[in-house]
Amino acid sequence: TAGVPRDPPSRRAAPVREPLSSRVHVMSYNIKGLPGVLVGSEYKSRRYSIIGKHLAERGAAGPDVVLLQEGFSSDTRKLVAASGFPHVSRGPYESPFFGVDSGLYILSRHPILAQDQMTFGSSNCNRWDCLANKGAQFVRISIPELPLPLEVFNTHLQAGRNPPARGHQVRLLVEFFQKNHVAGSPVIFGGDFNIR
């Protein structure tokens, strides 16, 4: 109105903004990719082709990040290729004597900026689980809508009804997290925890 002095531009209140909101869709899936000795090859091959095809068909409407566990079979690489995810990180792939690797993979639609991995070791497993080189993996992903990169951890813990080995593995996971986490960054920690 006339006669009412206006505040200079520097003193005016900033416009109210909507809070920053972003959705990141994350899928965790134990694909039961056991070696062919334990699962018939026909069942195994059919299963992988179906999983990869479904991930590809969902496209941008599907998950932004996929955590896989029990990808022990070499067919897992066919699944990953068929899925169409441009950025892939594989967990520890060394195998114990007569065993298999960690079976861990992280697939991402967005660029992976950093990655790390660890194994639990032969002294922190029990019975059949010692045939797999179980552990954890970490990636830092650049998500366009987030102000800081997203930290994603993927793991597969000891099976069974509360074996001591799983407690040791959880302690190692905490150390692995502390080694890689940047304070303030958003975190997703997923996988097959085998905890009821």
Side-chain angles (χ1 to χ4, degrees):
T1 58
V4 177
R6 292 177 173 266
D7 287 338
S10 61
R11 292 181 57 197
R12 289 182 193 155
V16 177
R17 297 186 180 199
E18 292 295 317
L20 182 64
S21 175
S22 177
R23 288 181 183 230
V24 179
H25 295 248
V26 179
M27 172 182 167
S28 180
Y29 188 13
N30 181 324
I31 59 175
K32 195 178 178 182
L34 302 175
V37 157
L38 302 176
V39 180
S41 59
E42 183 179 339
Y43 164 80
K44 180 175 65 175
S45 298
R46 181 171 178 268
R47 189 167 210 279
Y48 278 94
S49 62
I50 290 171
I51 295 169
K53 180 181 175 187
H54 280 307
L55 285 173
E57 286 174 349
R58 294 184 71 184
D64 298 291
V65 181
V66 177
L67 314 182
L68 299 179
Q69 305 88 40
E70 281 194 19
F72 299 129
S73 166
S74 59
D75 284 335
T76 303
R77 290 186 285 282
K78 296 176 186 175
L79 180 159
V80 170
S83 72
F85 279 78
H87 307 282
V88 179
S89 175
R90 186 177 176 188
Y93 50 86
E94 302 85 7
S95 301
F97 194 60
F98 288 128
V100 292
D101 64 22
S102 68
L104 299 175
Y105 289 81
I106 296 176
L107 319 181
S108 174
R109 297 199 185 283
H110 306 286
I112 293 175
L113 306 176
Q115 55 189 322
D116 194 10
Q117 55 188 244
M118 57 88 70
T119 57
F120 297 134
S122 58
S123 61
N124 294 302
C125 63
N126 191 2
R127 303 181 65 186
W128 292 106
D129 270 28
C130 293
L131 294 177
N133 201 13
K134 286 189 171 181
Q137 66 178 142
F138 158 79
V139 297
R140 184 173 288 116
I141 301 174
S142 175
I143 307 284
E145 296 82 7
L146 295 181
L148 291 172
L150 175 66
E151 298 179 352
V152 180
F153 293 82
N154 184 28
T155 191
H156 189 183
L157 297 181
Q158 173 76 41
R161 287 197 175 270
N162 200 27
R166 192 162 56 227
H168 299 307
Q169 291 173 356
V170 169
R171 282 190 284 278
L172 291 171
L173 281 180
V174 171
E175 293 174 6
F176 184 61
F177 170 79
Q178 291 170 337
K179 171 189 171 188
N180 287 288
H181 176 58
V182 173
S185 296
V187 178
I188 297 287
F189 211 125
D192 183 348
F193 298 105
N194 274 316
I195 297 173
R196 293 171 174 79

